[in-house]
Amino acid sequence: MSGEGMSFATPRFPEYRGKGACLWNITVSPGKFVKLTFWSFRASGCKKNYAYIFDVTNSTRVFLGKLCYNQDGNEQVVYSNGNNILVSALFIDGGFVATYEAVSEVPAPYSCLNNRDMHLTEPSGEFASFNYPHLYPNGAKCSWAINAPAGYLIQLTFHSFNLESSEDCKADYVTVKQGAFYTLGMSDMIGRYCGSSLPPVIRSTYSNVYVDFVSDRSGGYTGFRASYTVFPDRK
């Protein structure tokens, strides 16, 4: 397939869900990238129903990922490194429908796209809202759990911040919490942020920090980029 965009699917999806394999070779104009979106992937599991995605630049294949049934129901997105991408699918009792489109830019690699519930354990790193630095979609949700070793704390710095502004940040927002019992609903709220002002630099008093990003059903903004680093607790 070639051109600026098109939809494609496994044979007779969604009515027919039989066995088979398909291969799609997708090419867009030189200088552009392929945005590949899987909108619906129906299957009983990932072991025998999946799609492998390869970038094909200068006749060299680079593995970009394996996509399959997504329990949270969100679309799954892959961007190419060049203007050619290859989709190799195997389906035993499932199938999918997807689209591709030619785009001029790709999101930052540390933005949350398909992995929307992340655990960060390195001594430092970066993360960003969905599709950053491009507009995030309505209804986006991403979460980051930053876990430092015992005896260490976490410094969180926002480098850019542009969310919808609302009273008490009830529309789009970022929350930062800390504490060891977040999953039990027992954590300390550090702050809830929205609008275009940079949040302050945050230094935790626990070795666990949790960041949640949520957008509502209206508007679209560029979101945020942040970094973190761990440091020794000098107490």
Side-chain angles (χ1 to χ4, degrees), residues 82-119:
N83 72 321
N84 187 214
I85 204 167
L86 190 68
V87 181
S88 177
L90 174 71
F91 46 97
I92 301 301
D93 58 355
F96 63 82
V97 61
T99 59
Y100 82 88
E101 61 179 298
V103 296
S104 299
E105 298 176 302
V106 300
Y110 46 81
S111 67
C112 62
L113 284 176
N114 299 320
N115 189 0
R116 305 189 190 184
D117 188 6
M118 286 151 281
H119 295 269

Side-chain angles (χ1 to χ4, degrees), residues 98-231:
T99 59
Y100 82 88
E101 61 179 298
V103 296
S104 299
E105 298 176 302
V106 300
Y110 46 81
S111 67
C112 62
L113 284 176
N114 299 320
N115 189 0
R116 305 189 190 184
D117 188 6
M118 286 151 281
H119 295 269
L120 308 177
T121 57
E122 295 296 322
S124 63
E126 286 187 283
F127 59 98
S129 52
F130 193 97
N131 211 40
Y132 181 87
H134 313 299
L135 301 182
Y136 57 75
N138 297 329
K141 293 182 180 180
C142 297
S143 298
W144 299 265
I146 306 172
N147 301 305
Y152 286 79
L153 304 176
I154 298 164
Q155 178 171 300
L156 182 63
T157 305
F158 288 89
H159 303 281
S160 65
F161 200 89
N162 182 26
L163 274 67
E164 179 181 2
S165 181
S166 62
E167 184 179 359
D168 297 327
C169 296
K170 292 180 179 178
D172 303 353
Y173 61 84
V174 169
T175 59
V176 181
K177 301 177 182 179
Q178 64 176 353
F181 302 104
Y182 176 75
T183 56
L184 300 177
M186 300 168 59
S187 57
D188 295 339
M189 173 71 80
I190 296 176
R192 184 180 179 113
Y193 310 102
C194 61
S196 57
S197 298
L198 276 178
V201 174
I202 295 168
R203 292 172 69 89
S204 73
T205 55
Y206 289 83
S207 59
N208 308 92
V209 169
Y210 308 94
V211 182
D212 292 310
F213 163 67
V214 176
S215 68
D216 66 3
R217 297 293 177 179
S218 64
Y221 296 77
T222 53
F224 73 90
R225 178 176 70 89
S227 65
Y228 73 92
T229 185
V230 303
F231 62 94

Side-chain angles (χ1 to χ4, degrees), residues 37-106:
T37 306
F38 286 76
W39 296 100
S40 179
F41 210 125
R42 299 186 182 180
S44 60
C46 292
K47 290 185 177 180
K48 296 183 179 180
N49 300 276
Y50 54 82
Y52 284 131
I53 317 299
F54 300 91
D55 180 85
V56 186
T57 302
N58 298 325
S59 301
T60 301
R61 288 191 184 185
V62 176
F63 180 66
L64 298 179
K66 174 185 177 181
L67 299 185
C68 59
Y69 173 69
N70 190 7
Q71 289 184 330
D72 64 15
N74 292 315
E75 70 275 10
Q76 301 178 79
V77 182
V78 176
Y79 287 86
S80 67
N81 299 327
N83 72 321
N84 187 214
I85 204 167
L86 190 68
V87 181
S88 177
L90 174 71
F91 46 97
I92 301 301
D93 58 355
F96 63 82
V97 61
T99 59
Y100 82 88
E101 61 179 298
V103 296
S104 299
E105 298 176 302
V106 300

